[in-house]
Amino acid sequence: MVLNLKKTIILAGIAILVLASSAGSYFYLKSTRSSKIPSVSPNIAKIGVRTRKFPPFLAELPQVSHIEGEQSLAELEQLHGRRVPLLNAFIVRYERGYSYIEMWISVSRTKKEAAALEARMTAALSRTGMYTAPQPIAVRDKTVYGTFGTRARTLNYYFASGREVVWLETNLSADEIFPYLPEVIEKY
């Protein structure tokens, strides 16, 4: 009887440790996902990729989160299902109620690599069945591609700018977001 009681106490202690560890991990991940404070890996700082401040508002929506570094690179890898060779990435979300804009900005090593990434995205998007075929749009002397997310029912715009590729996803209508595209292009 004493042996069974000891086993029960040990098993209960292990269960409590597992639950506490899981809860701690959950709340840590939840807090970093919605944090406005950027997360930068020491490796990124060593290679000279700087953190970036983003406007507090875009299309009259307030910024609600901003992540970068290893955390955003991991999210990009999960999204694409493979590793994309990048120096850094930023994910910035603007939101009010149901309306949102999410920007994904990748930083490649060279302009040539960023242009190649943009070309791969353009070729692959319509094959996924998740997006319509990207259509080029001229905005302030820059080619911006627009596509519609068929499953998520979102408007998406993307373009290469120097060593970066900027992807903007929104559930706003084209009439609501299009006036802000020049601002996005100018800043990025």
Side-chain angles (χ1 to χ4, degrees):
M1 174 128 173
V2 172
L3 188 58
N4 285 338
L5 182 60
K6 284 183 181 178
K7 283 183 182 178
T8 303
I9 291 172
I10 290 171
L11 289 174
I14 291 171
I16 289 170
L17 286 174
V18 168
L19 286 172
S21 174
S22 297
S25 296
Y26 169 79
F27 287 110
Y28 170 76
L29 290 172
K30 186 174 180 184
S31 71
T32 60
R33 174 69 177 140
S34 63
S35 174
K36 291 182 182 178
I37 300 169
S39 162
V40 180
S41 101
N43 295 333
I44 289 171
K46 285 180 191 172
I47 56 177
V49 176
R50 296 182 181 164
T51 63
R52 179 182 291 172
K53 289 189 177 193
F54 291 89
F57 289 87
L58 181 60
E60 301 176 20
L61 301 177
Q63 184 188 128
V64 296
S65 68
H66 165 195
I67 61 171
E68 62 186 87
E70 290 181 3
Q71 186 179 4
S72 57
L73 289 168
E75 290 207 21
L76 276 171
E77 186 175 330
Q78 181 181 11
L79 179 71
H80 291 104
R82 65 182 180 94
R83 184 137 174 85
V84 179
L86 299 171
L87 292 178
N88 199 0
F90 305 90
I91 303 170
V92 185
R93 187 170 178 96
Y94 297 87
E95 182 177 347
R96 179 179 290 125
Y98 175 72
S99 301
Y100 78 91
I101 297 171
E102 190 160 88
M103 291 180 44
W104 299 64
I105 302 168
S106 63
V107 182
S108 298
R109 288 178 293 190
T110 65
K111 291 178 183 180
K112 187 176 178 180
E113 285 182 8
L117 177 58
E118 179 193 49
R120 280 195 311 274
M121 289 168 61
T122 302
L125 277 171
S126 57
R127 291 194 311 255
T128 66
M130 294 175 61
Y131 298 94
T132 59
Q135 300 298 312
I137 306 163
V139 180
R140 289 215 175 151
D141 298 327
K142 179 164 292 286
T143 300
V144 176
Y145 292 91
T147 182
F148 182 72
T150 56
R151 292 185 186 162
R153 313 218 36 87
T154 57
L155 289 175
N156 303 274
Y157 299 94
Y158 65 96
F159 60 93
S161 179
R163 296 183 313 144
E164 299 179 344
V165 175
V166 178
W167 174 279
L168 183 147
E169 174 186 286
T170 185
N171 64 353
L172 298 175
S173 71
D175 289 340
E176 292 172 305
I177 192 62
F178 203 77
Y180 295 96
L181 283 181
E183 177 186 342
V184 170
I185 288 168
E186 194 173 286
K187 290 183 180 183
Y188 309 102

